[in-house]
């Protein structure tokens, strides 16, 4: 495959698109540079005294790991100064992150999870940065409002993730298909390796933390049992694969086919809608999977149609091969 960089690919495929402005290219370039910097630290985390905890707790009530905090700092520092954003929001920060007064602004909004899967960092399991990009809806020059931030996922202009695994990959969409780029460390560039990714219509893998079965409602249990029933529509049981790192589980299912489920559960009365976040996890992955021919719901409703009420809103997530997600919807609606 010829060596095509992300920016070359963007400019070539988006010639007529508003996405090929220098401003979006600059935003993507800063995401790419941030990914390379984070990748360096992830790859040597065990050596750089950067494993373990900071001793702090984030807005999610989760213990913050040093690598989480490092990744968040890199992304905030670089993207605040890119001159193309009017607001940033991170899974690690309770509120919007302002653009410094001495930095130029633009009309893009970036919402991200700096290092998803962080509970796996010390065990050398693949983890990832997930990002979602909107354009502001209020006039440029006016203060950014929450109406600019709390947009439905279908309004995203781009979404993607960087997975730090056996290789480091950037997978993203601007609404014209899903494309994967693998980092070539010898030249420090992400090169096109997976053009126009399409998820198989029906998978052979299901991903869910069945340790929580006791906390699921009956329809959810029936939906999970479907994938373990040799008499299901595909006439064979699905393989169970669950890494506990959303980006890694999603990426495998995107390439091989399959379904990932993080249902609502009664485990934590404070979080009746499950653990995953709408704005920085479900929305970006839902845009990607739909662009790749798949589907993403909260079990019933399309993720991209959900009107957010708050920045860190959680949502049940059923995402992957279309026929599998449709089957879960059918089983949940049957009750
Ligand atoms: P559980 C990682 O902490 C994360 O947010 C996702 O990456 C992952 O899918 C999920 O939590 C795992 O959660 O409850 O199964 O350990």
């Amino acid at each position: 495959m010829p060596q095509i960089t992300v920016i070359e690919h963007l400019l070539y495929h988006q010639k007529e698109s508003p996405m090929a402005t220098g401003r979006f290219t600059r935003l993507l370039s800063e995401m790419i540079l941030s990914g390379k910097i984070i990748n360096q630290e992830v790859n040597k985390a065990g050596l750089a005294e950067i494993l373990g905890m900071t001793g702090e707790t984030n807005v999610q009530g989760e213990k913050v790991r040093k690598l989480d905090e490092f990744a968040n700092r890199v992304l905030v520092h670089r993207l605040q100064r890119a001159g193309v954003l009017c607001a940033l929001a991170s899974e690690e920060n309770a509120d919007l992150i302002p653009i410094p007064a001495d930095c130029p602004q633009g009309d893009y909004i970036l919402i991200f999870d700096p290092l998803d899967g962080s509970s796996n960092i010390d065990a050398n399991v693949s983890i990832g940065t997930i990002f979602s990009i909107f354009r502001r809806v209020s006039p440029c020059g006016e203060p950014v409002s929450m109406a600019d931030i709390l947009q439905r996922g279908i309004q995203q202009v781009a979404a993607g993730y960087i997975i730090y695994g056996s290789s480091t990959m950037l997978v993203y969409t601007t609404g014209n298909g899903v494309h994967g780029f693998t980092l070539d460390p010898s030249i420090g560039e992400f090169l096109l390796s997976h053009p126009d990714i399409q998820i198989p219509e029906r998978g052979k893998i299901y991903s869910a933390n069945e340790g929580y079965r006791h906390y699921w409602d009956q329809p959810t249990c029936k939906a999970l049992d479907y994938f373990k029933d040799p008499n299901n529509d595909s006439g064979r049981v699905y393989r169970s694969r669950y890494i506990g790192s959303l980006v890694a589980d999603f990426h495998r299912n995107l390439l091989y086919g399959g379904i990932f489920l993080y249902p609502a559960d009664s485990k934590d009365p404070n979080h009746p809608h499950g653990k995953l976040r709408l704005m920085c996890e479900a929305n970006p992955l839902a845009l990607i999977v739909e662009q790749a021919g798949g589907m993403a719901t909260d079990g019933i409703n399309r993720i991209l149609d959900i009107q957010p009420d708050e920045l860190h809103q959680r949502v049940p997530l059923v995402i992957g091969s279309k026929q599998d997600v449709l089957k879960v919807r059918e089983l949940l609606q049957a009750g």
Side-chain angles (χ1 to χ4, degrees):
M1 186 175 292
Q3 292 191 333
I4 299 174
T5 67
V6 182
I7 302 307
E8 280 175 307
H9 186 267
L10 174 71
L11 294 178
Y12 178 78
H13 285 269
Q14 316 275 352
K15 277 195 280 295
E16 297 74 40
S17 151
M19 303 307 296
T21 68
R23 305 181 75 72
F24 181 77
T25 307
R26 172 122 178 82
L27 170 48
L28 196 55
S29 298
E30 289 299 339
M31 283 303 303
I32 290 167
L33 179 53
S34 300
K36 292 176 187 175
I37 295 168
I38 295 166
N39 179 60
Q40 285 291 88
E41 289 304 304
V42 167
N43 284 346
K44 64 183 181 185
L47 301 171
E49 289 306 305
I50 201 164
L51 290 176
M53 302 292 182
T54 62
E56 285 133 41
T57 302
N58 67 11
V59 65
Q60 316 294 343
E62 296 161 345
K63 291 187 178 63
V64 177
R65 294 176 172 278
K66 292 176 186 171
L67 214 45
D68 261 348
E69 188 181 77
F70 172 81
N72 201 45
R73 271 204 320 274
V74 168
L75 284 156
V76 170
H77 176 81
R78 297 221 63 84
L79 275 300
Q80 271 181 327
R81 289 157 180 79
V84 293
L85 294 176
C86 55
L88 291 91
S90 167
E91 186 253 358
E92 294 292 333
N93 297 63
D95 304 310
L96 287 187
I97 301 163
I99 304 297
D102 60 345
C103 291
Q105 295 200 13
D107 58 1
Y108 288 113
I109 292 160
L110 176 70
I111 303 174
F112 61 93
D113 183 349
L115 210 55
D116 176 78
S118 53
S119 53
N120 297 288
I121 289 177
D122 299 3
N124 213 12
V125 170
S126 297
I127 51 184
T129 299
I130 309 173
F131 60 91
S132 168
I133 300 170
F134 291 93
R135 197 174 269 114
R136 71 181 298 170
V137 291
S138 59
C140 288
E142 288 186 11
V144 173
S145 71
M146 279 318 278
D148 288 308
I149 309 300
L150 300 180
Q151 299 183 52
R152 290 180 306 127
I154 193 59
Q155 303 296 325
Q156 292 174 100
V157 294
Y161 58 86
I162 299 170
I163 180 167
Y164 311 100
S166 49
S167 63
T168 299
M169 272 191 75
L170 164 69
V171 176
Y172 88 104
T173 182
T174 58
N176 289 281
V178 178
H179 310 287
F181 300 80
T182 300
L183 180 63
D184 179 339
S186 67
I187 58 173
E189 282 288 356
F190 282 97
L191 300 177
L192 182 65
S193 54
H194 297 68
D196 197 20
I197 297 173
Q198 291 291 308
I199 187 170
E201 184 80 359
R202 187 188 300 278
K204 298 175 180 156
I205 293 169
Y206 78 95
S207 310
N209 188 338
E210 297 200 82
Y212 299 148
R213 187 182 177 91
H214 173 77
Y215 301 106
W216 293 337
D217 62 22
Q218 198 49 39
T220 299
C221 292
K222 276 175 66 179
L224 265 295
D225 292 344
Y226 166 84
F227 297 105
K228 298 185 271 189
D229 179 355
N231 299 311
N232 62 34
D233 295 336
S234 54
R236 48 160 171 70
V237 296
Y238 284 51
R239 289 194 295 277
S240 171
R241 293 286 184 275
Y242 192 72
I243 301 172
S245 178
L246 174 61
V247 172
D249 279 315
F250 175 83
H251 184 68
R252 180 205 52 244
N253 290 354
L254 179 69
L255 297 183
Y256 295 172
I259 184 169
F260 172 95
L261 308 93
Y262 204 110
D265 60 48
S266 57
K267 178 160 52 35
D268 179 351
N270 297 320
H271 295 140
H273 302 299
K275 177 178 186 182
L276 302 181
R277 274 68 58 155
L278 173 61
M279 300 302 290
C280 66
E281 291 170 324
N283 267 343
L285 298 184
L287 186 68
I288 291 170
V289 83
E290 285 201 4
Q291 282 286 315
M295 192 170 180
T297 69
D298 61 6
I300 304 287
N301 309 292
R302 185 189 183 208
I303 289 290
L304 295 182
D305 287 339
I306 295 174
Q307 174 56 53
D309 298 319
E310 55 176 33
L311 182 57
H312 295 291
Q313 169 173 343
R314 296 176 189 239
V315 68
L317 182 60
V318 179
I319 188 168
S321 294
K322 180 177 285 188
Q323 292 308 317
D324 296 331
V325 176
L326 284 171
K327 174 56 77 173
V328 169
R329 174 189 279 175
E330 177 194 316
L331 292 167
L332 294 183
Q333 284 174 329

